């Protein structure tokens, strides 16, 4: 495990140096979205709904919105609020452990003794065990003040962040206002049913069947060869305009088109320099076509997503145009 915070537990004149570690982890298989046609990964963009542009993370501010107004909070605004950087876990009071509603518990963290001598840490742990008390504490984590419960778990001290009182909802259900009559016989049968299911709680007896079956399915598909090369599922980077660009492919196409233009230009020079009476329009059209081809090539340089005729086909069509023009002149 890697420590995510270090500080000290303080109460009175007692100071207990500790390191903070996350006590839990997610065991779910990490899945991501892909295109069903080719397995390519699906990405999400931060796109502005007003201008339609993709916005870089450094250009994003936060905001509060209600039904009528949106209040934008800039980075400077947020920096003006005092942030907690205290490294102390300050004990506010010691309370009977059974007075803490489990609904209040949020995230759990282990505390490791950080000093050279763990005597103060062990003394605090044993005191909490003997008195059956839990310490209610304040501490700062990620610039926010937290309310937490400090209690014992095995040989370690456990810190559990608590929800604030206004974060707990009350169960306001109309059906609970009714008071249905329950007979003694119904209570007796219900108690007997509970007794038939009664056991001592053993967490290791429970398993996440769905995740286990999901892992089995993944391994079966892997063994069957039903998989893709992970690198092939990653797309190419996007430009600001949202079009996919492969730099090497763009350079290659630019060189090929440049060579094709040179060859095509040489083939069209002779008929363009010798226009005949009544056929000037043909020469002009050829010149216009050449300019249009140049304009399209410029667009192709900007984005390899725009498909153009291959250089070979383009050169062939230019050569054909050069051959037909003299024939018309002779006619």
């Amino acid at each position: 495990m890697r420590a995510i915070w270090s500080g000290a537990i303080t109460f009175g004149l007692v100071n207990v140096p500790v390191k903070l570690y996350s006590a839990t982890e997610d065991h779910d298989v990490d899945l991501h979205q892909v295109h069903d046609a080719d397995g390519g990964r699906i990405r999400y963009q931060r796109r502005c709904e007003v201008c339609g542009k993709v916005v870089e993370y450094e250009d994003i501010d936060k905001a509060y919105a209600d039904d009528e107004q949106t209040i934008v909070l800039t980075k400077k605004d947020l920096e003006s609020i005092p942030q907690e950087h205290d490294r102390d876990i300050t004990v506010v009071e010691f309370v009977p452990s059974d007075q803490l509603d489990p609904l209040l518990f949020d995230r759990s963290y282990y505390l490791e003794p950080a000093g050279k001598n763990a005597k103060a840490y062990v003394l605090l742990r044993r005191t909490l065990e003997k008195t059956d008390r839990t310490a209610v504490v304040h501490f700062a984590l990620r610039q926010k003040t937290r309310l937490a419960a400090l209690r014992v778990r095995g040989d370690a001290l456990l810190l559990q962040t608590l929800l604030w009182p206004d974060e707990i909802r009350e169960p306001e259900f109309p059906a609970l206002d009714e008071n249905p009559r329950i007979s003694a016989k119904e209570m007796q049968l219900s108690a007997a049913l509970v007794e038939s299911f009664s056991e001592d709680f053993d967490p290791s007896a429970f398993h996440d069947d769905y995740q286990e079956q999901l892992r089995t399915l993944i391994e079966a598909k892997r063994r069957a060869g039903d998989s893709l090369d992970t690198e092939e599922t990653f797309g190419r980077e996007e430009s600001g305009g949202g079009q996919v660009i492969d730099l090497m492919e763009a350079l290659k196409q630019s060189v090929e088109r440049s060579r094709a233009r040179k060859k095509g230009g040489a083939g069209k020079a002779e008929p363009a320099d010798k226009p005949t009476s009544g056929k000037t329009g043909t020469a002009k059209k050829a010149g216009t076509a050449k300019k249009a081809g140049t304009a399209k090539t410029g667009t192709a340089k900007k984005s390899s997503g725009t498909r153009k005729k291959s250089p070979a086909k383009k050169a062939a069509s230019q050569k054909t145009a050069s051959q037909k023009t003299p024939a018309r002149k002779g006619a």
Side-chain angles (χ1 to χ4, degrees):
M1 293 190 292
R2 182 175 62 87
I4 60 174
W5 183 94
S6 62
I9 303 169
T10 62
F11 59 102
L13 299 177
V14 179
N15 184 287
V16 185
V18 291
K19 292 182 180 179
L20 189 77
Y21 297 82
S22 179
T24 61
E25 60 185 0
D26 188 355
H27 73 182
D28 287 0
V29 176
D30 188 17
L31 301 177
H32 58 263
Q33 294 181 328
V34 298
H35 187 194
D36 61 358
D38 53 22
R41 297 203 177 198
I42 303 298
R43 302 288 184 184
Y44 293 95
Q45 295 177 322
R46 300 180 182 92
R47 189 177 296 276
C48 175
E49 294 186 4
V50 176
C51 67
K53 294 182 179 179
V54 176
V55 183
E56 296 298 329
Y57 184 77
E58 57 266 23
D59 297 325
I60 296 177
D61 283 331
K62 295 183 179 181
Y64 169 80
D66 55 26
D67 293 337
E68 297 180 356
Q69 294 181 322
T70 294
I71 310 300
V72 177
L73 301 172
T74 66
K75 297 178 180 64
K76 187 175 181 179
D77 291 333
L78 294 175
E79 288 172 357
S80 67
I81 300 176
Q83 296 180 346
E84 291 287 351
H85 297 284
D86 193 3
R87 288 290 177 177
D88 288 342
I89 299 174
T90 306
V91 175
V92 178
E93 58 186 6
F94 292 96
V95 300
S97 297
D98 58 4
Q99 289 185 1
L100 286 173
D101 186 346
L103 184 60
L104 289 169
F105 295 135
D106 190 14
R107 295 182 178 275
S108 300
Y109 302 91
Y110 286 127
L111 293 176
E112 176 192 27
K116 295 180 179 180
N117 191 335
K119 183 175 181 178
Y121 181 97
V122 175
L123 177 61
L124 175 58
R125 186 196 70 201
R126 291 181 180 177
T127 302
L128 291 175
E129 285 179 319
K130 185 175 182 179
T131 60
D132 193 20
R133 295 272 171 167
T134 294
V136 176
V137 303
H138 276 150
F139 77 111
L141 181 64
R142 299 185 180 94
Q143 289 79 51
K144 292 183 179 180
T145 300
R146 317 276 177 165
L147 182 67
L150 177 64
R151 61 190 187 90
V152 177
R153 188 177 192 275
D155 291 333
L157 290 175
L158 182 71
L159 188 69
Q160 291 181 287
T161 56
L162 301 175
L163 298 174
W164 298 98
D166 60 351
E167 294 178 309
I168 303 297
R169 292 176 174 177
E170 292 297 327
E172 298 176 352
F173 304 132
L176 297 180
D177 295 334
E178 300 177 6
N179 189 21
R181 180 179 178 277
I182 297 178
S183 67
K185 185 65 175 177
E186 289 172 329
M187 279 297 302
Q188 182 181 359
L189 289 174
S190 179
L193 181 62
V194 169
E195 183 62 29
S196 68
F197 279 90
S198 296
E199 294 285 351
D200 289 330
F201 181 61
D202 179 11
S204 64
F206 299 90
H207 303 277
D208 190 339
D209 294 336
Y210 177 81
Q211 292 298 322
E212 291 177 358
Q213 293 176 26
L214 180 58
R215 287 185 173 88
T216 300
L217 174 61
I218 291 172
E219 288 305 314
K221 292 178 74 70
R222 189 199 306 275
R223 289 193 299 269
D226 188 5
S227 62
L228 300 171
D229 186 333
T230 298
E231 290 187 1
E232 294 179 358
T233 67
F234 289 97
R236 294 168 288 182
E237 293 186 2
E238 294 188 358
S239 66
Q243 293 178 319
V244 177
I245 294 178
D246 186 314
L247 181 58
M248 293 301 295
E249 183 64 22
L251 290 172
K252 182 180 178 180
Q253 291 183 14
S254 297
V255 171
E256 291 175 349
R257 289 186 176 116
S258 177
R259 291 174 180 172
R261 283 200 305 274
K262 290 179 180 179
K263 292 180 181 179
K268 290 182 180 180
E270 183 178 352
D273 292 341
K274 296 180 180 181
T276 58
S277 174
K279 299 295 182 180
T280 307
T282 304
K284 288 182 178 179
K285 287 182 180 178
T288 303
K290 183 177 178 181
K291 289 180 179 179
T294 304
K296 289 182 179 179
T297 304
T299 305
K301 285 182 179 179
K302 292 181 181 178
S303 171
S304 59
T306 306
R307 293 188 176 182
K308 310 303 290 181
K309 291 182 179 179
S310 66
K313 289 183 179 179
K314 184 174 179 182
S317 63
Q318 291 170 342
K319 184 175 181 182
T320 303
S322 300
Q323 291 173 346
K324 287 182 179 180
T325 305
R328 292 176 182 170
K329 177 180 177 182

